[in-house]
Amino acid sequence: MGIAEQYTENTPDSRYEQTVGYLRRNYRAYLLIAPAALFLLSVVGYPIFETFRLSLYRAPESATTETFIGFQHYTTILNSQIFYQLVWQTGRWVVVSVFLKTTLGLLIALHLKGDIKGRKFFRTGFLIPWGIPYAISAVVFRWMEHPQYGYINAILLKLGVIEQGIGILGNPQTAWLGVVVADAWIGTPFMAIIILAGLQSIPDQLYEAAAVDGAEKWHQFRYVTLPQLKSVLLIATLLSTIWTFVSFDVIWTMTGGGPINSTATLVIWIFETAFAQGNLGLGAAYSVIGFAILGVFAVVYLRVYTSGGEEL
């Protein structure tokens, strides 16, 4: 019997047999990581399971008993107009905020990568907004956008853009934009630092070779910098999207979801429903839907990115 025939004969036919064989060969490694895996499963998995279970019950905060009602909460949510308004406002909030943070972070990182005077000082200074508690930053921006005493109105009046102070956070058409600006200011340093770390890992030889080939700065950025930053940008934007989606402090501190629910997102509405109105079951159903939206987004985002055969 030849070597090829022996190999074919000893190779498991089914995927099940291959999996069993793999587990037999590596069972010691799985035993070593089992305690950590069980701990993570209990810490992460149990709250998710409990939230889903609670969403199937009528569970008023003040009551001691729960009543099983199946998927009634989900039917109520999907038939309500406010749900689709919240989905639109949450999507707008996430897309605009992450776009601003990514764009500004990229511009700052490109600037800080250059050989500028005081580079260490600026790198440290740009981290300050990230280190300030979100609620404090939100209070400062609420004051800055005040129609009578805020800096923004004062500057616009000086420039002649407006004739009298405008209530940015009191207008349903502009309130979300005022909140987005505050969130972008807070989150941009994180994006800048992550992108800067990615820029510093790009070999200088690539730029030197591009320069020898006659590539200008824009072409070097397009054909060298962006492709090399692809993995970094994927992780940074994915994390920023998740954090922005579940962000609560900034919106609640600046507007409380108003005026007329114009700045409310799914997270704000979950808090309102579960704790302000005391309907824990309905709030849990909103949480499960939000979790599902984030999960679908992450899977689609990663599949689109890796569709070309690339790995993280």
Side-chain angles (χ1 to χ4, degrees):
M1 182 180 294
I3 296 176
E5 294 172 339
Q6 292 179 9
Y7 177 79
T8 304
E9 183 176 334
N10 295 329
T11 302
D13 294 329
S14 67
R15 179 168 295 181
Y16 171 76
E17 291 175 336
Q18 293 178 8
T19 304
V20 171
Y22 178 82
L23 291 176
R24 283 177 178 170
R25 291 192 301 272
N26 300 281
Y27 75 93
R28 291 186 180 86
Y30 285 102
L31 286 177
L32 290 174
I33 65 172
L38 290 174
F39 175 75
L40 285 175
L41 186 63
S42 61
V43 171
V44 177
Y46 176 73
I48 296 175
F49 168 78
E50 181 62 16
T51 301
F52 179 73
R53 187 200 65 80
L54 192 61
S55 70
L56 304 178
Y57 287 80
R58 181 179 292 110
E61 189 179 26
S62 57
T64 56
T65 59
E66 300 170 349
T67 304
F68 181 76
I69 58 172
F71 291 95
Q72 185 176 324
H73 284 318
Y74 294 96
T75 305
T76 302
I77 292 173
L78 295 177
N79 289 328
S80 64
Q81 187 177 356
I82 186 66
F83 170 69
Y84 299 98
Q85 179 183 342
L86 292 172
V87 170
W88 158 248
Q89 292 175 177
T90 304
R92 180 182 62 184
W93 152 257
V94 172
V95 170
V96 177
S97 183
V98 172
F99 174 78
L100 285 177
K101 284 184 277 192
T102 304
T103 304
L104 294 174
L106 179 60
L107 293 175
I108 292 172
L110 288 171
H111 185 67
L112 290 179
K113 183 177 180 295
D115 188 17
I116 61 172
K117 187 175 292 186
R119 184 170 60 177
K120 292 183 179 179
F121 169 78
F122 287 116
R123 286 184 178 183
T124 306
F126 275 116
L127 278 176
I128 292 176
W130 180 252
I132 298 176
Y134 285 12
I136 301 299
S137 300
V139 169
V140 171
F141 267 87
R142 189 175 64 182
W143 176 75
M144 289 174 63
E145 296 174 9
H146 192 279
Q148 295 179 328
Y149 311 111
Y151 281 134
I152 294 178
N153 272 293
I155 294 173
L156 293 177
L157 286 170
K158 283 284 186 184
L159 295 175
V161 178
I162 57 177
E163 296 180 354
Q164 59 181 3
I166 56 175
I168 298 174
L169 298 179
N171 187 334
Q173 304 300 324
T174 58
W176 73 275
L177 192 57
V179 179
V180 163
V181 170
D183 187 68
W185 183 82
I186 295 170
T188 296
F190 169 78
M191 299 295 285
I193 294 301
I194 294 294
I195 296 173
L196 179 61
L199 287 174
Q200 290 180 327
S201 68
I202 301 175
D204 292 335
Q205 291 82 352
L206 294 178
Y207 292 103
E208 293 170 0
V212 170
D213 290 340
E216 299 177 353
K217 290 292 184 183
W218 165 247
H219 292 97
Q220 292 181 20
F221 173 76
R222 182 177 177 183
Y223 296 109
V224 177
T225 303
L226 282 182
Q228 294 294 319
L229 280 179
K230 195 174 179 181
S231 296
V232 173
L233 287 174
L234 168 74
I235 297 300
T237 52
L238 184 60
L239 289 176
S240 182
T241 299
I242 294 173
W243 291 340
T244 306
F245 187 94
V246 301
S247 176
F248 176 83
D249 317 50
V250 177
I251 298 176
W252 187 257
T253 303
M254 293 186 70
T255 64
I260 323 175
N261 296 326
S262 61
T263 59
T265 60
L266 276 173
V267 173
I268 296 294
W269 201 254
I270 290 169
F271 178 82
E272 283 275 358
T273 304
F275 302 108
Q277 302 174 15
N279 194 338
L280 295 179
L282 187 60
Y286 272 109
S287 299
V288 172
I289 291 175
F291 178 76
I293 292 174
L294 267 183
V296 170
F297 166 78
V299 171
V300 172
Y301 193 60
L302 291 175
R303 286 188 68 86
V304 169
Y305 175 80
T306 57
S307 60
E310 297 186 47
E311 297 181 356
L312 290 175

